[in-house]
Amino acid sequence: MEMHNHWCSASLFLIISCFVGFLSFPADAAVKKNQFDVVKNVSRLCYSKPIVTVNGTFPGPTIYAREGNRILINVTDYAQYNLSISWHGLKQYRNGWADGPACITRCPIKTGHSHTYDFNVTGQRGTLWWHAHILWLRATVYGAIVIMPKEGTPFPFPQPYQETNIVLGEWWNSDVETIVNLVNKLGLPPQTSDAHNINGKPGPLFPCSEKHTFAMEVDSGKTYLLRIVNAALNDELFFAIAGHNMTVVEIDAVYAKPFTTQAILIAPGQTTNVLVKADQSPSRYFMAARPFMDAPIPVDNKTVTAILQYKGIPNTVLPTLPQLPAPNDTNFELSYTSKLKSLNTPQYPAQVPLQVDRHLYYTIGLGQNPCPTCQNGTKLTASLNNITFVMPKIGLLQAHYFNISGVFRADFPGRPPVPFNYTGAPLTANLGTSLGTRLSKVAFDSTIELELQDTNLLSVESHPFHLHGYNFFVVGSGIGNFDPKKDPAKFNLIDPLERTTVGVPTGGWTAIRFRVDNPGVWFMHCHLELHTMWGLKIMEFVVENGKSPEESILSPPKDLPPC
Ligand code: C2O
């Protein structure tokens, strides 16, 4: 696919229409959505440039469904970019056709064309989100997915009075595709973002009028469910509410063991549901988010705010700011992630694989490749086990399903080709990084343990890794090099958190386990767009079919976009 970038004239507002259809989804009286938005229209004061949106809203519409529903979404692309949408965290059982990664798993919807995503929500309930899965379009093309439990099934935590989505985003004042094309030519990283936003609004600390602030009105004494999504492209974020504790109850649409905290940490791609009780003296309180970065890498440090406003309190009352952890507070990160555990009750058991059929060890590396046309003569790149991913010419799921040879090789190495002191002194060498579209083939119903190891190639950095088509259990993590002799003894195999996107700590490792029961071709990548763009840190699992048709990939939809 080619990356065209003719940016449109300013008068043309780009719209992708999106129709959400719910089959047998009656109006739900038990839970009402409440969004108290002080501003009715998307601001053109701060954001005075054309952006790609869905239905003209920013963020885009929330998709509501119930566990067990079938969802149909017809997407018509009126923008000048080919695109595909990913339903981040939905397992898409046997149905990778509905999974999003454009030019990787499948081919995108072309400008002027439509495609209907058709999938079932099976065995999942909670907060997920959707986003464009091509170029950097997800900077503005994203929204929340709310899956309610089956009718009559309560939450495993106290029923909140009301709930609201808190979608955290990252904003550039100029057109992102223009920025990215330019820096790709120069071989440099792009400028950091200009602002963060909460539900599309940057808040009063950003030079904008106060109108561009998301506000949530609360009744004194009531408990609220906040569905928090990190839709930022590159920033892990701390989030807190002045004066109020939060009780974490769900992560990546999996119920978690509840714990109370003053702040949460959420990486791009992740979701966190928290309960908040309006138990402070009635006033106005800021909610705020700001990046976490504990590596020597530049980041947009601006704080985004929204307001928690008790009913009846006038807008003239000045809100107080919450205390967020320091931007480089590794200790907060480590202690926070150590509290994340699966709920693990008889109704919601943690079915962590106790036996492992296959052990994999992947090193995450940055590198510099020669680039004669680039400003410094080099170009930043990224790799997994020293392999930089090359985009295939046709969708890998198509290539696998239709047995088209020559598109990929199924020989992705299970460990780095040359062992070294991964997190020792900084290394600038590339260690012989090679290019390739190499996948890992795995047998149906086998179990995998994978250690993701950060390295100090150019720099250590934390990486939120996302696996399509699956949840996995985070059985362990640590700082330094993973030690296969000592570290497994410390694994949590009782109630590890089950999730879909996990942070690999800066200069450390994370171990995940999962059962391979979803046939198809499934993308795994770092959810920092910067790194994905560098070919980086990505690979795919080819999961073979099981024995029966019920364990095999569905046939492709009739309107699957051609390559
Ligand atoms: Cu949320 Cu492959 O992405």
Side-chain angles (χ1 to χ4, degrees):
M1 207 218 54
E2 275 183 12
M3 286 200 208
H4 288 297
N5 189 42
H6 349 110
W7 191 237
C8 67
S9 68
S11 60
L12 180 65
F13 198 66
L14 306 169
I15 292 174
I16 304 156
S17 76
C18 172
F19 304 100
V20 182
F22 301 108
L23 299 188
S24 68
F25 185 60
D28 194 332
V31 178
K32 291 188 195 75
K33 287 299 293 180
N34 278 276
Q35 185 160 305
F36 298 88
D37 199 333
V38 180
V39 183
K40 288 271 155 54
N41 55 335
V42 176
S43 153
R44 293 285 137 69
L45 271 171
C46 277
Y47 297 165
S48 56
K49 63 163 188 183
I51 56 169
V52 186
T53 67
V54 169
N55 299 352
T57 64
F58 175 62
T62 301
I63 294 177
Y64 295 97
R66 254 189 210 289
E67 181 182 346
N69 280 173
R70 175 182 175 194
I71 303 184
L72 294 169
I73 302 152
N74 180 264
V75 179
T76 304
D77 181 7
Y78 293 110
Q80 83 274 41
Y81 304 103
N82 299 338
L83 63 82
S84 182
I85 303 228
S86 183
W87 320 96
H88 181 116
L90 277 163
K91 288 186 195 163
Q92 309 289 16
Y93 188 61
R94 302 165 56 209
N95 190 13
W97 308 110
D99 196 30
C103 311
I104 299 168
T105 304
R106 48 173 275 166
C107 292
I109 304 164
K110 299 216 168 68
T111 301
H113 290 76
S114 301
H115 168 68
T116 301
Y117 290 87
D118 181 353
F119 52 88
N120 296 319
V121 183
T122 311
Q124 289 184 283
R125 77 302 295 170
T127 309
L128 291 169
W129 64 298
W130 57 266
H131 59 81
H133 208 306
I134 188 167
L135 311 174
W136 278 38
L137 287 179
R138 75 176 174 88
T140 55
V141 180
Y142 61 81
I145 301 175
V146 173
I147 309 163
M148 298 302 293
K150 287 193 176 137
E151 195 117 51
T153 306
F155 294 129
F157 46 80
Q159 180 71 22
Y161 175 59
Q162 283 168 347
E163 58 170 82
T164 193
N165 298 340
I166 301 285
V167 184
L168 309 172
E170 197 174 355
W171 179 266
W172 280 261
N173 284 335
S174 34
D175 170 51
V176 278
E177 295 310 326
T178 309
I179 300 174
V180 169
N181 279 351
L182 184 72
V183 298
N184 265 342
K185 272 195 202 106
L186 299 176
L188 304 170
Q191 67 210 58
T192 57
S193 51
D194 295 301
H196 296 98
N197 49 49
I198 293 180
N199 294 342
K201 299 180 174 66
L205 303 188
F206 191 72
C208 236
S209 81
E210 176 136 10
K211 281 192 299 178
H212 305 281
T213 303
F214 174 76
M216 172 187 173
E217 204 181 37
V218 295
D219 274 339
S220 205
K222 298 277 202 268
T223 298
Y224 295 80
L225 178 68
L226 269 51
R227 299 177 178 272
I228 306 164
V229 176
N230 186 347
L233 271 77
N234 299 311
D235 291 342
E236 291 187 50
L237 297 165
F238 291 119
F239 174 86
I241 309 172
H244 294 73
N245 283 331
M246 295 175 280
T247 303
V248 175
V249 291
E250 183 203 297
I251 299 279
D252 293 359
V254 181
Y255 294 130
K257 213 157 265 161
F259 68 95
T260 298
T261 183
Q262 267 176 13
I264 66 159
L265 177 61
I266 183 165
Q270 297 179 337
T271 69
T272 302
N273 282 8
V274 300
L275 293 173
V276 176
K277 188 160 189 207
D279 57 1
Q280 298 299 303
S281 68
S283 184
R284 297 169 87 222
Y285 297 88
F286 272 132
M287 319 179 194
R290 182 178 67 193
F292 163 60
M293 174 51 80
D294 62 351
I297 294 187
V299 70
D300 164 17
N301 259 331
K302 286 184 262 338
T303 303
V304 52
T305 51
I307 295 173
L308 183 86
Q309 178 151 357
Y310 283 67
K311 234 171 229 167
I313 300 298
N315 288 355
T316 45
V317 174
L318 214 58
T320 42
L321 267 172
Q323 251 213 308
L324 289 162
N328 60 355
D329 195 342
T330 308
N331 287 338
F332 179 93
E333 178 208 20
L334 298 177
S335 99
Y336 180 77
T337 49
S338 73
K339 288 178 208 145
L340 300 174
K341 299 208 161 82
S342 280
L343 186 58
N344 194 28
T345 56
Q347 199 179 358
Y348 302 102
Q351 286 166 318
V352 52
L354 297 178
Q355 264 161 23
V356 174
D357 297 323
R358 201 148 154 216
H359 287 267
L360 301 171
Y361 187 58
Y362 291 171
T363 53
I364 305 160
L366 292 174
Q368 266 167 332
N369 282 346
C371 170
T373 57
C374 294
Q375 192 165 293
N376 301 333
T378 58
K379 194 185 187 83
L380 290 164
T381 177
S383 63
L384 214 52
N385 279 355
N386 290 20
I387 294 165
T388 297
F389 187 85
V390 177
M391 296 285 243
K393 295 268 176 331
I394 70 164
L396 295 173
L397 182 60
Q398 272 128 305
H400 169 61
Y401 185 84
F402 294 108
N403 250 316
I404 304 167
S405 59
V407 180
F408 64 85
R409 280 160 53 188
D411 63 351
F412 192 87
R415 40 194 52 254
V418 188
F420 60 100
N421 181 4
Y422 307 109
T423 52
L427 288 164
T428 50
N430 250 353
L431 299 174
T433 300
S434 62
L435 299 172
T437 311
R438 295 168 68 179
L439 278 55
S440 183
K441 197 167 229 169
V442 288
F444 186 82
D445 211 29
S446 60
T447 54
I448 289 184
E449 179 181 304
L450 163 62
E451 272 82 41
L452 288 158
Q453 173 73 60
D454 186 31
T455 68
N456 205 353
L457 281 163
L458 290 189
S459 172
V460 287
E461 188 177 355
S462 90
H463 302 277
F465 262 84
H466 171 48
L467 174 60
H468 285 247
Y470 289 91
N471 285 348
F472 48 74
F473 291 91
V474 185
V475 294
S477 76
I479 300 298
N481 300 339
F482 172 69
D483 181 341
K485 294 209 179 65
K486 293 205 194 103
D487 288 323
K490 290 177 247 158
F491 282 175
N492 175 5
L493 300 177
I494 310 286
D495 58 358
L497 186 67
E498 180 185 344
R499 65 184 320 170
T500 169
T501 307
V502 69
V504 177
T506 299
W509 55 272
T510 291
I512 63 172
R513 282 192 186 184
F514 58 103
R515 178 172 293 280
V516 180
D517 56 3
N518 191 3
V521 180
W522 302 105
F523 192 27
M524 190 183 73
H525 62 99
C526 174
H527 218 282
L528 305 184
E529 214 48 44
L530 199 54
H531 293 171
T532 309
M533 169 177 97
W534 289 339
L536 155 24
K537 299 160 181 183
I538 60 182
M539 59 84 61
E540 303 222 9
F541 287 104
V542 186
V543 179
E544 291 169 312
N545 283 337
K547 291 202 181 66
S548 70
E550 292 73 47
E551 296 171 343
S552 302
I553 302 175
L554 298 173
S555 40
K558 296 218 165 48
D559 68 340
L560 189 73
C563 290

